[in-house]
Amino acid sequence: IGHGDMALVETQGVQVVVDTGPSPHGVKQRLIPKLRRAPSLVVISHADRDHIGGAQALCQRHRPAHLWSQTLIPGCPKPALTERLRLPGMTISRLSPADDWVRGRNERSLIISIITQGHRLLFLGDIGIDRELDLAGRFGRATLVKVPHHGSKTSSGKPLVSETQPQIALIG
């Protein structure tokens, strides 16, 4: 999809999309062909184009049942930020949103955990080391960690890695 984040988590016929990459083209070419129906949940970590760029195109083609986003997206359902959503075969939870309007939009990324089939997947948006330290002790162990901020040197500090102990670190 180029420079950006987009993930599809699927189990027992339930599909959850986390971020939609930088463009409608990427969603149409890479994501929509993999969807059998509208996703049960779409999560937009934050409003930077490389995370939200394809959301409108996705909603126009497959309107999700639920949307977790801090931003209104034309053509998408109104966002509803619940703490937890239980779906067949998975539970999606969010850590409290960042209360940080000084350090910028990246630090306000929605952070979610997906538990499915005995595995825990952790999606961290574009948070940096400062926000990682704010949330230390709340991440817990994870089978997979979507490395924050595309693996930049301003994220993925030693405390995060030590706490999560991931088997898989995914860089987008």
Side-chain angles (χ1 to χ4, degrees):
I1 63 162
H3 177 78
D5 282 4
M6 178 169 53
L8 173 63
V9 179
E10 180 177 14
T11 187
Q12 297 181 15
V14 172
Q15 295 179 310
V16 173
V17 174
V18 182
D19 288 329
T20 59
S23 72
H25 178 76
V27 163
K28 291 174 185 173
Q29 296 298 311
R30 304 286 174 124
L31 180 61
I32 287 176
K34 292 178 176 25
L35 296 175
R36 291 189 296 277
R37 67 185 68 77
S40 299
L41 172 66
V42 172
V43 177
I44 301 297
S45 62
H46 64 294
D48 281 356
R49 182 159 182 80
D50 58 335
H51 294 260
I52 198 173
Q56 190 172 3
L58 174 60
C59 290
Q60 287 172 347
R61 178 68 190 260
H62 291 293
R63 189 175 176 87
H66 304 277
L67 174 66
W68 286 3
S69 173
Q70 298 173 90
T71 304
L72 291 173
I73 303 165
C76 291
K78 183 179 178 186
L81 291 173
T82 58
E83 293 295 320
R84 180 171 289 125
L85 180 62
R86 294 186 202 293
L87 298 169
M90 71 173 76
T91 300
I92 304 97
S93 304
R94 68 180 181 93
L95 276 69
S96 296
D99 184 22
D100 191 334
W101 295 95
V102 176
R103 288 183 281 185
R105 185 165 43 205
N106 286 344
E107 301 301 326
R108 292 190 301 275
S109 293
L110 291 179
I111 299 166
I112 68 161
S113 166
I114 299 175
I115 297 175
T116 183
Q117 300 178 350
H119 297 283
R120 185 164 180 262
L121 317 176
L122 194 58
F123 293 86
L124 303 174
D126 277 354
I127 65 170
I129 291 174
D130 287 346
R131 188 66 182 141
E132 291 172 15
L133 293 173
D134 291 346
L135 295 168
R138 297 189 58 206
F139 293 117
R141 288 184 141 190
T143 308
L144 177 145
V145 171
K146 169 46 194 78
V147 175
H149 210 187
H150 316 282
S152 75
K153 66 181 179 181
T154 62
S155 67
S156 306
K158 288 181 183 179
L160 172 69
V161 175
S162 294
E163 183 177 343
T164 58
Q165 298 181 21
Q167 295 174 12
I168 300 167
L170 183 63
I171 300 174

